[in-house]
Amino acid sequence: MTVDQSELEPVRLESGLLDPGLLDPGVQGPGVLGVIGLGATGSGLVEAAARAGLAVIALEPGEGRLDQGRARVRRLLEDSVARDRLPAAESEQVWQRIRFSAHWPDLAAADLVAEAVPERHQAKADALRRADQVCTPGTVLATSASALSVTALAAATGRPARVVGLHLFVPVADTGVAEVVRTVMTEPAALDRVRALVTRLGKTGVVLGDRAGLISTALLFGYLNQSVAMHDQQFADRDDIDAAMRLGCGLPYGPLETLDLIGIDTACDILTALAERLDEPSLAPDRRLRHMALAGLLGRKSGRGFHRYDQDGRRLPEQPSARQDPAGAAEWTRPVGRIGIVGSGTMAAGIAELCVKAGLPTVLAARSPQRAEAARAVMAGSMGRAVARGKLSEQQRDTALALLDPQADLAALADCDLVIEAAAEDLLVKRELFAALGRICKPGAVLATTTSSLPVIECALASGRPQDVLGLHFFNPAPQMRLVEVIPSLETAPEVVATGRALCATLGKHPVRCADRPGFIVNALLFPYLNEAVRMVEAHYADADDIDTVMKLGFGYPLGPFELLDVIGLDVSLSIQQVLHAAAPHPRSVPAPLLGHLVAAGRAGRKAGAGFRVHS
């Protein structure tokens, strides 16, 4: 977007502060950008703007903090050169476009000033007031607030019509979107100037109304806070939580890694503001977060948060916890030479394929000979495609298929060492099946359920041998997805857990351990986030396209929430959210009515040809 420069106030350059010859002559939007605060967001904005051809006044009151900010911007610039974003020959010219200052009057030369101070109302209001006092009347002021009211911050200045929200994502150089917030007072020309800056930075601008959390913060921080509670309550280990969300959902960072990147203190400020503004106590920062902030364990910037980091912010290697890798675990495992699979659907066929490719003789027990042969045909087709892609030889495929024994009788599982149930996600069906397996399978055989949300203990008790039962939640498609959630019930024997983990290693999967609770790790964290996204559309705050854009370009998610809902299936998503709500009734966990309406209308997602979008 190009802004009519006649609408903008003339750029004023103080003598000795900025050299007009340093500006890129093709620059659009503000000629001189002022940035208040040189933390992660502010320093990233300074570096990106200077690379984009803008002259920048970087303000950090207090000489000590200014030196730190200057060093941070220099490191970002060096990183841009190292990553081929900026030719080394041009880096000094870009550096010369930046003037660092600890003095507020120096902002008078800027025609757009963006504050990037901590997410506290008083700090942001003070920064905007000071900028208001020293800047020309035509200067536009931008606030990085995401949880606070932009309207209230604008009203605290003498130019509320020229205050706009500008929420950037960290690291600024690596993200492709910005949330631009208008209030009921915002002038179109002021909004256009900020949008022009966003365009100049090479980002997609999504314009939104003033709402607590906008899109990004409202969807992200509830998920992050819930992950901390999961860790704090010892439902799952720190590394298992991060690995589960990276491998199970394809996210670039796990939630606890994300908190370390954002900063624990920053996260506490944002969650506190969200909880207060929305009057929602469940969004108040978890106890562990508050204690870490008090102790100075702030994440990458302090060298230690949920993980440890060197002085350059690189993650340091750490020993796995005893919970993840207990001493002598290999000696606890029960021998597994023959595998049994119950079911004939996509998941059953996928797990059976994994087993035979790993060299394990596998019995696949279906409800009829026809279903058993159909599952074998699915496996043959999958492995045939692997041969065509060069990932499997014809001999390997034939050898693997020869290890499969399709059967239509559960009695064929009698000699199996480990049996995996992959039947319908129905508790009554699973109870009946485990009762039969408890009678049929030999003593000491491990019995596993692939349930994604039902209690493992229910299956265990139905078997009559609960010490032998655990959950092994594979992700679809099983041959491609690396993650398996390993879920012991309260009755599961330690060697059965070790055996399940050992099988995952044999199959080339990454096991994560979780307590027997609704949703385990991935679904317990994923589906509330998806449900909140649906509520956002339901409230007409943003449409599905804008929400998907923000989450993909802002956080690097492979799919936006609505793309993911259509892939999973809206009916499946509704069922899982209902299970989560039944286990922990709360107004925020009630399935969004819109989700139910779409399911009732037959719009179940890709498999039905339509969900939130129409699919050909």
Side-chain angles (χ1 to χ4, degrees):
M1 172 182 174
T2 303
V3 175
D4 182 358
Q5 296 296 314
S6 66
E7 295 180 356
L8 307 181
E9 294 290 329
V11 177
R12 300 183 180 184
L13 300 176
E14 290 187 359
S15 176
L17 179 64
L18 291 164
D19 178 358
L22 293 173
L23 274 68
D24 186 324
V27 70
Q28 296 172 354
V32 182
L33 173 69
V35 178
I36 305 170
L38 297 178
T41 299
S43 59
L45 175 56
V46 167
E47 189 267 345
R51 277 198 295 112
L54 291 165
V56 184
I57 304 165
L59 179 76
E60 184 68 89
E63 289 295 337
R65 293 199 304 274
L66 180 62
D67 290 342
Q68 294 172 1
R70 182 186 290 109
R72 189 176 290 115
V73 174
R74 173 60 88 174
R75 285 195 299 270
L76 290 173
L77 193 59
E78 291 169 351
D79 184 60
S80 288
V81 172
R83 297 169 69 176
D84 294 326
R85 287 181 172 143
L86 177 70
E90 297 179 16
S91 62
E92 190 57 33
Q93 183 181 5
V94 171
W95 180 252
Q96 291 302 319
R97 291 190 187 119
I98 307 169
R99 291 294 179 267
F100 295 91
S101 175
H103 307 293
W104 288 93
D106 288 342
L107 287 176
D111 57 344
L112 194 158
V113 173
E115 67 77 13
V117 302
E119 188 83 2
R120 293 190 289 273
H121 177 84
Q122 195 60 51
K124 289 186 178 295
D126 286 348
L128 291 170
R129 285 193 197 101
R130 294 293 298 271
D132 183 28
Q133 292 166 0
V134 300
C135 291
T136 63
T139 300
V140 172
L141 306 182
T143 172
S144 65
S146 60
L148 297 170
S149 168
V150 176
T151 303
L153 291 170
T157 73
R159 60 184 80 195
R162 300 185 75 80
V163 177
V164 180
L166 174 60
H167 180 229
L168 296 165
F169 296 76
V170 177
V172 174
D174 294 337
T175 56
V177 71
E179 292 170 306
V180 180
V181 185
R182 63 175 183 271
T183 72
V184 294
M185 302 175 286
T186 306
E187 290 179 351
L191 186 67
D192 284 349
R193 189 177 297 179
V194 174
R195 292 175 70 184
L197 170 63
V198 170
T199 299
R200 182 65 187 181
L201 296 177
K203 302 185 186 301
T204 298
V206 176
V207 178
L208 302 165
D210 186 14
R211 174 188 187 274
L214 311 181
I215 292 173
S216 59
T217 303
L219 294 183
L220 179 69
F221 277 83
Y223 151 72
L224 296 179
N225 205 35
Q226 191 177 1
S227 73
V228 179
M230 182 180 287
H231 176 38
D232 194 32
Q233 295 165 19
Q234 300 184 16
F235 288 134
D237 179 85
R238 171 200 66 188
D239 293 336
D240 280 348
I241 292 171
D242 278 344
M245 299 311 291
R246 280 189 283 104
L247 300 178
C249 297
L251 306 186
Y253 299 100
L256 305 181
E257 292 170 318
T258 300
L259 282 162
D260 277 357
L261 176 62
I262 293 170
I264 305 303
D265 52 344
T266 300
C268 282
D269 288 343
I270 290 173
L271 284 164
T272 298
L274 279 176
E276 291 176 354
R277 192 171 172 198
L278 295 174
D279 192 22
E280 180 49 70
S282 68
L283 288 173
D286 181 82
R287 175 190 62 178
R288 180 180 286 261
L289 269 184
R290 290 185 280 105
H291 289 185
M292 289 175 69
L294 287 171
L297 306 178
L298 307 181
R300 288 191 184 187
K301 60 188 174 185
S302 69
R304 183 181 169 195
F306 288 98
H307 305 276
R308 294 178 181 272
Y309 304 87
D310 65 16
Q311 61 182 4
D312 295 320
R314 292 186 294 260
R315 175 95 169 265
L316 294 172
E318 296 172 276
Q319 292 294 322
S321 69
R323 180 185 176 93
Q324 283 187 303
D325 189 20
E331 299 174 6
W332 297 355
T333 59
R334 296 181 184 178
V336 175
R338 187 174 180 83
I339 299 289
I341 307 291
V342 181
S344 57
T346 302
M347 182 59 74
I351 298 171
E353 179 183 334
L354 285 169
C355 292
V356 296
K357 286 196 296 189
L360 295 169
T362 302
V363 178
L364 187 144
R367 285 185 290 174
S368 68
Q370 293 79 13
R371 287 179 176 272
E373 286 302 326
R376 185 187 186 284
V378 169
M379 293 170 58
S382 174
M383 285 191 271
R385 290 188 290 275
V387 170
R389 293 193 300 269
K391 295 186 175 182
L392 203 65
S393 70
E394 291 186 3
Q395 182 177 351
Q396 288 172 321
R397 176 198 61 194
D398 296 342
T399 299
L401 285 173
L403 293 172
L404 183 69
D405 181 13
Q407 293 286 337
D409 189 346
L410 290 179
L413 304 170
D415 292 330
C416 291
D417 302 303
L418 189 150
V419 176
I420 302 173
E421 165 274 314
E425 189 76 351
D426 183 301
L427 187 54
L428 181 59
V429 171
K430 290 184 185 293
R431 280 175 176 159
E432 292 177 350
L433 184 53
F434 272 86
L437 292 175
R439 295 190 302 269
I440 293 168
C441 295
K442 66 183 181 182
V446 173
L447 308 180
T449 172
T450 61
T451 181
S452 62
S453 57
L454 299 174
V456 174
I457 189 64
E458 296 272 10
C459 298
L461 294 174
S463 73
R465 44 200 283 187
Q467 72 281 0
D468 294 334
V469 179
L470 81 163
L472 290 178
H473 179 214
F474 290 78
F475 287 73
N476 196 32
Q480 281 79 51
M481 298 295 286
R482 288 184 56 208
L483 182 71
V484 177
E485 290 177 316
V486 178
I487 308 105
S489 77
L490 291 174
E491 299 290 337
T492 307
E495 68 271 17
V496 169
V497 180
T499 302
R501 292 178 67 90
L503 174 67
C504 292
T506 299
L507 301 181
K509 301 300 179 185
H510 184 106
V512 296
R513 177 170 173 161
C514 180
D516 185 13
R517 65 185 298 271
F520 311 134
I521 297 175
V522 174
N523 286 353
L525 295 178
L526 174 64
F527 282 90
Y529 151 78
L530 296 177
N531 198 49
E532 192 63 29
V534 179
R535 288 188 177 281
M536 199 173 281
V537 167
E538 208 170 51
H540 305 290
Y541 176 66
D543 63 28
D545 289 341
D546 280 348
I547 294 171
D548 281 351
T549 295
V550 166
M551 299 313 290
K552 288 191 295 182
L553 298 184
F555 298 118
Y557 286 15
L559 295 173
F562 296 98
E563 292 172 325
L564 185 55
L565 281 161
D566 275 4
V567 169
I568 293 170
L570 274 60
D571 52 344
V572 174
S573 302
L574 176 61
S575 176
I576 291 174
Q577 189 61 37
Q578 287 169 336
V579 169
L580 296 177
H581 176 65
H586 186 278
R588 290 181 67 86
S589 69
V590 175
L594 178 58
L595 192 59
H597 296 334
L598 289 170
V599 171
R603 297 177 64 113
R606 284 187 176 272
K607 61 189 177 186
F612 282 96
R613 296 181 176 90
V614 175
H615 306 278
S616 56

